[in-house]
Amino acid sequence: MKSEQKISDTAGDFTATFDGGDEFGYSVAGIGDVDGDTIEDIAVGADRADDNDNGNGSVFIIYLGTDGKSDGFHEINDSNMTGSPLDANDYFGSGVANIGDVNNDGNTDLAVGAYFDDDGLANNGAIYIIFLTSSGTYSSHEKISDTNGDFTATFSSGMNFGQSVGVLGDIDGDTVEDVVGGAPLDDGG
């Protein structure tokens, strides 16, 4: 290791405000240069962040400088997502992955886990596909869960789908990246 730069609520010129237990850094993904300054940027999950004091979670798009410090950020949470889709303790931000440009608008998109989402049954979990603008801010989303997103998998209560997320490449050959979601408490039927 040549050097390191910590980013937290007290280091790295990061000006977000946190409460104890927000779990900033629970997940991290490289997202390319979303702000157009030729420097790679990152998405960081804080799955228990207290947006509206209910622990529904947040994802921070952090614009990095050449020194590895924050040159600014955009927070994605229930307050700025269309329709305020998150409920208390959904743990949005438990997993985050760069899935390329899914909707072909020229911008990076993200898959974000919310493993305590209650669609269908308690704590089934969900994955949100987050569409970003050209500056890396939230544009819109699509939810994949037991009851949303045309997902036909069989869910069981408390399976925690979306605790982790990843990108698999284009497995089905439709030119769109495919996503995998962990469900560590799935009982297999």
Side-chain angles (χ1 to χ4, degrees):
M1 179 173 69
K2 184 176 177 182
S3 63
E4 55 83 24
Q5 174 58 57
K6 181 178 181 178
I7 297 176
S8 70
D9 64 346
T10 60
D13 295 338
F14 191 51
T15 58
T17 302
F18 292 104
D19 297 322
D22 281 356
E23 296 192 0
F24 175 75
Y26 194 89
S27 58
V28 179
I31 57 173
D33 175 21
V34 297
D35 63 351
D37 66 357
T38 72
I39 301 166
E40 300 287 314
D41 303 308
I42 58 175
V44 180
D47 72 332
R48 298 187 188 181
D50 291 324
D51 172 47
N52 297 324
D53 295 322
N54 63 11
N56 50 17
S58 291
V59 171
F60 293 85
I61 306 300
I62 301 178
Y63 313 112
L64 296 176
T66 57
D67 56 3
K69 294 180 180 180
S70 171
D71 270 353
F73 70 94
H74 173 69
E75 184 176 3
I76 301 170
N77 59 32
D78 192 61
S79 293
N80 59 20
M81 292 173 70
T82 304
S84 298
L86 302 174
D87 294 321
N89 301 314
D90 275 355
Y91 299 162
F92 176 77
S94 57
V96 62
N98 175 349
I99 56 173
D101 180 12
V102 172
N103 60 351
N104 293 317
D105 66 355
N107 303 317
T108 299
D109 301 314
L110 303 175
V112 179
Y115 73 97
F116 262 36
D117 185 279
D118 292 329
D119 276 8
L121 298 167
N123 302 334
N124 270 350
I127 293 176
Y128 287 82
I129 305 302
I130 303 294
F131 302 107
L132 299 177
T133 67
S134 60
S135 61
T137 60
Y138 171 87
S139 173
S140 63
H141 71 272
E142 185 66 47
K143 185 177 185 179
I144 300 170
S145 70
D146 187 27
T147 61
N148 286 285
D150 298 329
F151 193 48
T152 60
T154 302
F155 278 68
S156 59
S157 182
M159 68 187 273
N160 297 154
F161 174 65
Q163 186 166 7
S164 59
V165 297
V167 63
L168 299 172
D170 178 19
I171 291 177
D172 60 0
D174 66 355
T175 71
V176 177
E177 297 288 327
D178 300 310
V179 175
V180 61
L185 299 181
D186 181 18
D187 63 11

